[in-house]
Amino acid sequence: MRQHVEDRHRPGAAGRRRGPIATGSSFRIHRDEALGGGVSRAVLEQVAHAMELRDTDDLDASVHELRRSLKRTRAVLRLVRGELGDWAYRQENTCLRDTARLWGPTRDARVLVQVATDVARDSDLDPGTADHMVGVLRARAEVTSRAALADRRRQLDTLTALGSFACRVRRFPVEGEGAVPDRFDAVRPGLARVANRAARRMRRAETDPTTERLHAWRKDVKYLGYQLELLRPVWKGLLKAISGRLADLGSVLGDDHDLAALAETIRADDTLVPDEGDRERLLKQVAERRRELQREALALGHSVLHDPDALVEQVGAAWEHARRPRGLSAPG
């Protein structure tokens, strides 16, 4: 479901966009690139990608891309938090978080439509009732999107915040004194912090799978996945496999969260499914599907997060291998 939902947010041919949305393929540290320069470049490219919001009428696609770019950027901040310092990290992370939140309702309304469509198709709801539920949510999403597209203040606030952030990134040295050192120790604490927190949150969600705990776990899974995406070229085989499992895990947890949001919306507004019997049956089906997704998520989670410290050491070994001068063999 998650991939299907995200595909719906891809831009079409219409609109004012001057070119296709970037694929984000440059979100990585190249093997021959210094860490400080690579981090700065990757962050600035993600910010530029997010700022394409101003160049399109396809707002839903742009909001999806903006939020993903800001999540990637926040993952990088977490990776180099030790080099930035806690104060600078908190300031910049808060700036990006609050900017993304400006567009949360727009994204949420559109995703609800797709999730409701998928749920209705797989349920035993009467076609008329299903069409009514999806139609109401679609109308609300269109109103939300139109309001966001017309909200020039929100767009200006977004572009101003991102432009200011980009200026601060450009002032950060990429080499020499004050730059992020070109060694794994510069990113080890940030990677370990996210990996260990993801593992802790997995265990908490396994003990008590509330929507809040599952969503908190998903956020760290996404950050960890983006960090490995950035570092993946240092050892493509290993990190590609781990990144793939993290991406699958994030998708499963995302599907669960979207279903939870739909169930909450249906409970809060009984006009979506007016008949109480239909409503309870639908909610029961959603709950069962969520239990299936949570079992799948825990199986995936244990496969990759069972030993977060070992995961960090694997990445460190990959880094040392990739950065070893050519022609030198491994010791021993």
Side-chain angles (χ1 to χ4, degrees):
M1 182 187 298
R2 167 67 50 169
Q3 184 61 44
H4 185 53
V5 169
E6 292 189 345
D7 286 347
R8 289 297 186 95
H9 290 203
R10 304 293 182 189
R16 291 183 281 114
R17 182 171 299 283
R18 292 188 286 269
I21 270 185
T23 62
S25 60
S26 59
F27 184 65
R28 58 194 60 192
I29 303 294
H30 302 306
R31 293 184 64 158
D32 58 352
E33 186 175 33
L35 182 58
V39 164
S40 179
R41 174 191 54 75
V43 165
L44 289 172
E45 287 175 353
Q46 289 304 306
V47 172
H49 187 51
M51 292 177 74
E52 290 185 4
L53 174 75
R54 62 189 170 189
D55 294 329
T56 183
D57 288 327
D58 191 349
L59 186 69
D60 294 329
S62 288
V63 167
H64 168 71
E65 294 294 331
L66 178 146
R67 287 170 59 84
R68 182 171 65 172
S69 291
L70 295 188
K71 287 175 184 176
R72 281 174 163 171
T73 304
R74 293 175 68 194
V76 178
L77 293 181
R78 283 163 168 75
L79 190 64
V80 296
R81 179 173 181 169
E83 299 299 323
L84 290 176
D86 282 345
W87 186 88
Y89 163 77
R90 291 193 182 99
Q91 291 291 111
E92 304 299 359
N93 183 61
T94 298
C95 168
L96 298 178
R97 181 201 66 195
D98 291 349
T99 301
R101 283 179 176 175
L102 292 173
W103 302 95
T106 306
R107 179 266 181 196
D108 294 344
R110 186 57 62 184
V111 169
L112 270 180
V113 175
Q114 186 58 51
V115 176
T117 301
D118 293 341
V119 166
R121 184 187 59 235
D122 297 334
S123 74
D124 56 5
L125 275 182
D126 175 83
T129 300
D131 289 345
H132 169 77
M133 175 180 68
V134 173
V136 170
L137 292 174
R138 180 175 289 113
R140 293 175 182 174
E142 289 171 354
V143 168
T144 302
S145 292
R146 285 196 298 270
L149 190 61
D151 190 347
R152 298 303 179 188
R153 177 59 182 272
R154 192 189 320 182
Q155 296 178 36
L156 180 60
D157 288 347
T158 298
L159 296 174
T160 300
L162 295 182
S164 298
F165 172 75
C167 287
R168 293 191 295 274
V169 172
R170 291 189 184 97
R171 290 198 296 266
F172 198 83
V174 298
E175 59 183 7
E177 185 178 356
V180 175
D182 191 27
R183 56 177 184 268
F184 185 69
D185 284 346
V187 297
R188 183 193 301 272
L191 186 66
R193 183 175 186 145
V194 173
N196 278 280
R197 192 166 68 174
R200 288 196 304 272
R201 286 181 164 176
M202 175 184 69
R203 292 190 291 270
R204 291 172 186 167
E206 186 171 25
T207 302
D208 183 14
T210 64
T211 298
E212 293 75 17
R213 287 188 172 193
L214 288 161
H215 185 51
W217 178 27
R218 175 180 175 253
K219 287 192 290 186
D220 280 325
V221 166
K222 296 293 285 186
Y223 288 134
L224 181 59
Y226 287 140
Q227 289 178 347
L228 294 187
E229 181 182 353
L230 183 75
L231 298 172
R232 196 175 78 186
V234 303
W235 193 355
K236 292 182 180 179
L238 170 71
L239 297 191
K240 184 176 181 180
I242 297 173
S243 296
R245 276 182 282 172
L246 285 169
D248 289 343
L249 175 55
S251 294
V252 172
L253 289 170
D255 285 348
D256 176 75
H257 184 260
D258 292 343
L259 286 172
L262 177 63
E264 181 180 352
T265 301
I266 292 171
R267 291 191 189 96
D269 183 0
D270 57 16
T271 65
L272 287 171
V273 184
D275 182 82
E276 183 178 0
D278 287 342
R279 188 164 60 249
E280 291 306 315
R281 282 192 296 275
L282 182 61
L283 289 171
K284 183 177 180 180
Q285 291 170 1
V286 169
E288 177 55 36
R289 177 57 182 150
R290 288 195 64 202
R291 285 190 289 272
E292 293 173 358
L293 288 168
Q294 289 164 25
R295 287 192 291 269
E296 183 180 354
L298 287 168
L300 278 168
H302 281 292
S303 75
V304 70
L305 294 171
H306 62 283
D307 190 342
D309 291 330
L311 172 61
V312 173
E313 291 308 312
Q314 284 182 304
V315 178
W319 175 276
E320 297 301 333
H321 175 81
R323 297 285 172 155
R324 185 181 304 123
R326 294 185 179 182
L328 294 182
S329 59

